[in-house]
Amino acid sequence: MQSPTPTPNRGPLIFVGIVGGGAVLLLLILGAFLLLRSPAGPSPEELLATGAAQTVAAQLTQVAIQQTIAPPPPTNTSGPPTDTPPPPATVTPTLPPITSTPACTDLAAFVSDVTIPDNTYMPPSQAFTKTWRLKNAGTCTWTTGYALVFDSGNIMAGPTSQNLAGSVPPGANVDVSVTLTSPASNGTHRGNWKLRNDRGTIFGLGGGGPFYLQIIVGPTPTSGPTVYKTAQFYVRQTFHADLDSGAETNTGADFWFEAVSAAERYFSPQNGAQLLKMGSVPDYAACKAAALSSNKINLNTFPAGSWMCYKTNDGRYGRFVLDSMGDVGGFPTMNLDIRTWNNP
């Protein structure tokens, strides 16, 4: 749509015409007055008044002209208003500080051998299932993406890896089984195993060590005597020891820790028990065949690490090692590690 052409402002021109005409009329009136008043012509005072009138007329005309050529008012060239809203203020969000979450750790702990304890005798080429009970001692949950993996030793025809059957949360126990076959050759055979997480990282027990299986391939040895009692205990000077129960006692004793002086001390057999110092680690057959006696044995000839065979007052054979000498409550004390067998 086009704007209409503005109408020119003629007010100033009319004003100039009026003023100019008024000035001319004033001069004509003044001139006629002077002619009528004196035939000889105007006086000097009258001429002066006439000049003044002319001056006023000229000034009025100049003012009218200046008003006529006065500059027009400024034209508003701005465009029509629009409805475009101002751009929204930019708000920068405040983000919370980034905290790193520590990664969880993978670690296993051995609990027990569920099947095939160490040094189990097996015939050659015998299939069997080995089961370990392990504890998830780390902070990661073991999933089916985790696996049992062979580490070193004899793989015994087992798989190189085998995924776990289910999830195991931290702190829980799990039985891990694998099917193996005993080697064809006789002897002691060991296989070391570890676990692998779902990212491919292999881990084991504390310190990175494996859990393992160890068997003995060959004929099972003939049955020998079973163990009646194993124990570690101390015997104070002037007290007695019961080698059947593995305890310090004053009743049913097998020997007395006799002290004649600080330099003269003895193992003194009691109640029919017998003793004999041995030069190496004895087994049941060696102790049963040894020349045991009821003679007391000088402790000064029996340093820590020495072995003794015995027959208790209940008729059981056994052995002990003197682990160390110490002091308990002001008493010189011997620390013993015993094994007493049942008679076959």
Side-chain angles (χ1 to χ4, degrees):
M1 178 177 184
Q2 184 177 1
S3 299
T5 302
T7 303
N9 188 2
R10 294 184 173 86
L13 296 177
I14 297 172
F15 176 77
V16 170
I18 295 172
V19 173
V24 172
L25 181 61
L26 178 61
L27 290 176
L28 291 175
I29 294 173
L30 182 58
F33 174 76
L34 292 176
L35 291 174
L36 292 176
R37 188 174 179 270
S38 175
S43 66
E45 290 82 2
E46 291 172 340
L47 292 174
L48 180 62
T50 301
Q54 293 175 344
T55 299
V56 170
Q59 289 178 346
L60 290 174
T61 303
Q62 181 68 26
V63 169
I65 295 173
Q66 289 177 350
Q67 290 182 354
T68 302
I69 62 174
T75 302
N76 184 6
T77 59
S78 61
T82 63
D83 294 333
T84 304
T90 301
V91 179
T92 302
T94 302
L95 300 178
I98 298 175
T99 57
S100 59
T101 302
C104 59
T105 57
D106 283 310
L107 182 65
F110 174 79
V111 178
S112 64
D113 289 306
V114 179
T115 63
I116 318 298
D118 290 344
N119 299 318
T120 296
Y121 280 87
M122 301 193 73
S125 304
Q126 174 69 50
F128 63 96
T129 299
K130 170 64 185 179
T131 301
W132 298 273
R133 180 161 296 158
L134 303 176
K135 178 180 180 179
N136 182 347
T139 59
C140 299
T141 296
W142 301 350
T143 66
T144 54
Y146 283 56
L148 171 72
V149 294
F150 176 70
D151 179 62
S152 61
N154 195 320
I155 195 171
M156 302 185 199
T160 56
S161 67
Q162 176 179 292
N163 284 59
L164 300 187
S167 295
V168 186
N173 292 344
V174 62
D175 289 352
V176 178
S177 300
V178 62
T179 300
L180 305 171
T181 301
S182 62
S185 59
N186 289 350
T188 300
H189 303 275
R190 171 170 166 161
N192 299 312
W193 297 78
K194 290 185 178 181
L195 296 175
R196 183 181 64 212
N197 67 20
D198 52 5
R199 299 178 302 279
T201 302
I202 294 176
F203 64 97
L205 308 179
F211 46 95
Y212 62 89
L213 158 73
Q214 183 167 293
I215 61 173
I216 301 173
V217 175
T220 303
T222 58
S223 60
T226 59
V227 175
Y228 175 78
K229 182 69 177 181
T230 60
Q232 291 178 304
F233 67 103
Y234 64 82
V235 183
R236 290 169 291 176
Q237 185 172 287
T238 73
F239 284 73
H240 296 72
D242 183 358
L243 298 175
D244 290 295
S245 63
E248 183 185 74
T249 181
N250 282 323
T251 60
D254 291 302
F255 75 85
W256 173 34
F257 185 178
E258 180 184 0
V260 177
S261 66
E264 190 178 354
R265 297 177 294 182
Y266 299 94
F267 294 97
S268 295
Q270 303 288 303
N271 305 313
Q274 297 176 325
L275 304 174
L276 181 66
K277 179 184 177 182
M278 305 296 288
S280 60
V281 182
D283 57 12
Y284 172 82
C287 286
K288 185 176 181 180
L292 305 176
S293 76
S294 57
N295 296 330
K296 58 186 179 183
I297 297 174
N298 194 325
L299 188 56
N300 292 332
T301 66
F302 202 86
S306 299
W307 288 89
M308 183 88 77
C309 276
Y310 56 83
K311 184 179 182 180
T312 72
N313 60 351
D314 289 337
R316 298 183 181 93
Y317 291 95
R319 72 185 187 203
F320 68 72
V321 61
L322 178 62
D323 279 336
S324 63
M325 294 294 297
D327 183 279
V328 175
F331 288 89
T333 303
M334 62 176 65
N335 296 297
L336 303 178
D337 187 342
I338 73 164
R339 171 171 292 192
T340 302
W341 291 284
N342 285 308
N343 290 325

